[in-house]
Amino acid sequence: MQNNYRSKAFKAWLDKLQQESWQLELIISGFSIYGLSQAFEPLELYFNISQNESNSYLTTILMIALISCSILLFTLLLHVILRGLWIGALGLRYVSGDIDYKKLNYRPKFDRYLRKKVGSFDKYIAKLEDYCSILFAVSFLLIFYILSVFIVIGSIVAIAYLFLRNHENQHFLLFVIGMVLLFFILIGMLLTFLDFVTQGYLKKNKWLAKIYFPFYWVFSYLTLSFLYRPLVHNFLDNRFGKRLSFTLIPIYFVIILLASYSYNRSNYFSVMDDSNSFIANANNYDESITEKGLFISDASIPSKIINTNYLPVFIEYQNDIEDVIFEYNKSLKPEQDKRGLKSDIFTSTNQMIAKNSRDRLKADYMLTLSNIYSFKIDSLDYDNPDFIYAKHNNNQQGFETVLSLKNITEGKHVLTINRLVKKDSAFIKTTLLNIPFWYFNSN
């Protein structure tokens, strides 16, 4: 059948679907809630992994997915509750009919108030129907809004990276183009936000409309609004829908605010505190990291209680480690930094030669790492530790070494991890972390 939206048959078909859409809404909501509840935990796990690996690209994508899942889950659950209330109201209407205020026999003051505020039962059912129908549509509209915000922020980052990064060493024309694009995006963001908040005022004003149109045209593609613009304008020409869609946004902010609260049991201690001589953070002990989504923070040892005459130490790999190594040993710094998002599909001969060269420099890399890091257990120094590169708990990458405990007495001790950091033109030793432990030799 050809969907001619101007024909009477098509309009009649749409009217019929509108009357029966609640069944489809409940089916889709049920499947969506189940699917979202199953997807939320894996998304959160991969989000934590990408954060731990400093993968900003994947972190951003997973953040959008998590926010979208949260919005959909909350809105669809609310939709199912209201639709269930609507079905219950329909069943009650079949049994009891409309509200009979005379039978209630309230005093005139309450009778007048209830008749004005509550009205007929049919009005209540109609209002529930409106809420349910609009909620189902507005949930997807809010996701598009969030996606638009991330795309605009991403475009600003892309302009800064392509045109404004290292502007002292690039052509002046590229810098000018970058600044023009950046100002255009920033002004467009401001105008689009004002137009959104004022519900289309810039499009109504005779002079502002002419100024705003170029920004509106560009941002319609940049924010993907051409995909959901009919929904937006359909909400804006409906007073009830407009009020509900704008009410939901502050509700989400209130939910985020409430979720930020946590209960503090002490004025001095928290489970989030870093390890030191009197605090043991679970993220610095391998025995505590048993669940997926938990990761070593900076460094770790096997347990709070050590029964062997040696102490394995793991240093989590972070980008700033390699930055310090390049500053300390400039011969290790490659001409082109390979860190970040790269593709292995196209591999040239020069890249293969560069890889072989890097393999030969790995020994110098590990030697430099040994010069940068040092350890101390109480007053006993461990300089130039011998590292190996390895994967640890939850596939975390980093560097491992083993310290001898033969000269350590039994009891409580504190492992201090030091690292050289460049300050001005000199390298100074700074304390990265303190990890307390007890040593009792079982031999």
Side-chain angles (χ1 to χ4, degrees), residues 83-112:
R83 186 57 80 177
L85 184 61
W86 177 79
I87 294 171
L90 284 176
L92 183 60
R93 184 183 185 278
Y94 175 76
V95 174
S96 182
D98 207 344
I99 301 172
D100 191 346
Y101 290 101
K102 289 182 179 180
K103 270 190 178 179
L104 293 174
N105 197 26
Y106 290 149
R107 300 299 299 172
K109 186 178 182 65
F110 283 96
D111 186 77
R112 286 193 303 270

Side-chain angles (χ1 to χ4, degrees), residues 191-395:
L191 292 176
T192 304
F193 177 74
L194 290 174
D195 189 63
F196 173 77
V197 171
T198 58
Q199 300 175 8
Y201 175 77
L202 298 183
K203 292 192 285 287
K204 299 172 186 177
N205 187 280
K206 180 180 178 181
W207 300 109
L208 291 176
K210 293 179 181 180
I211 299 171
Y212 178 53
F213 183 77
F215 297 96
Y216 177 77
W217 185 82
V218 171
F219 270 72
S220 67
Y221 292 97
L222 190 62
T223 61
L224 306 178
S225 64
F226 62 91
L227 294 173
Y228 56 88
R229 190 177 291 146
L231 276 175
V232 176
H233 292 298
N234 212 333
F235 275 118
L236 290 176
D237 71 358
N238 182 284
R239 182 183 172 189
F240 180 77
K242 183 166 57 178
R243 189 169 65 244
L244 178 62
S245 59
F246 277 94
T247 302
L248 278 175
I249 295 173
I251 287 175
Y252 284 116
F253 280 110
V254 170
I255 292 172
I256 293 170
L257 179 64
L258 292 175
S260 66
Y261 280 89
S262 59
Y263 184 76
N264 293 327
R265 301 187 66 184
S266 171
N267 286 298
Y268 298 96
F269 297 99
S270 168
V271 293
M272 302 302 294
D273 290 339
D274 293 331
S275 293
N276 52 46
S277 59
F278 43 84
I279 294 175
N281 190 303
N283 289 4
N284 298 127
Y285 302 94
D286 298 341
E287 65 177 3
S288 304
I289 304 174
T290 56
E291 299 178 13
K292 289 183 177 180
L294 296 178
F295 300 98
I296 293 165
S297 177
D298 295 325
S300 73
I301 59 176
S303 173
K304 296 183 187 71
I305 301 174
I306 304 298
N307 301 120
T308 57
N309 57 3
Y310 57 88
L311 178 66
V313 181
F314 176 78
I315 305 294
E316 178 200 10
Y317 177 81
Q318 297 172 344
N319 285 338
D320 65 333
I321 291 177
E322 201 150 286
D323 293 334
V324 174
I325 287 174
F326 292 160
E327 288 179 343
Y328 190 84
N329 188 347
K330 296 187 183 300
S331 64
L332 290 171
K333 188 173 183 178
E335 293 182 4
Q336 185 178 2
D337 201 327
K338 299 295 182 182
R339 291 176 291 182
L341 191 64
K342 305 291 179 183
S343 174
D344 294 329
I345 295 176
F346 304 103
T347 306
S348 64
T349 305
N350 292 334
Q351 288 174 320
M352 292 296 295
I353 294 171
K355 182 180 183 302
N356 294 332
S357 176
R358 285 198 303 274
D359 290 342
R360 290 193 296 270
L361 290 171
K362 283 178 181 176
D364 291 340
Y365 186 104
M366 299 305 286
L367 181 61
T368 305
L369 186 72
S370 298
N371 292 330
I372 289 172
Y373 277 92
S374 62
F375 301 96
K376 180 185 282 189
I377 298 179
D378 300 334
S379 59
L380 183 63
D381 290 318
Y382 294 83
D383 295 322
N384 298 316
D386 197 4
F387 285 106
I388 60 170
Y389 185 78
K391 279 190 175 182
H392 207 55
N393 288 26
N394 283 350
N395 289 323

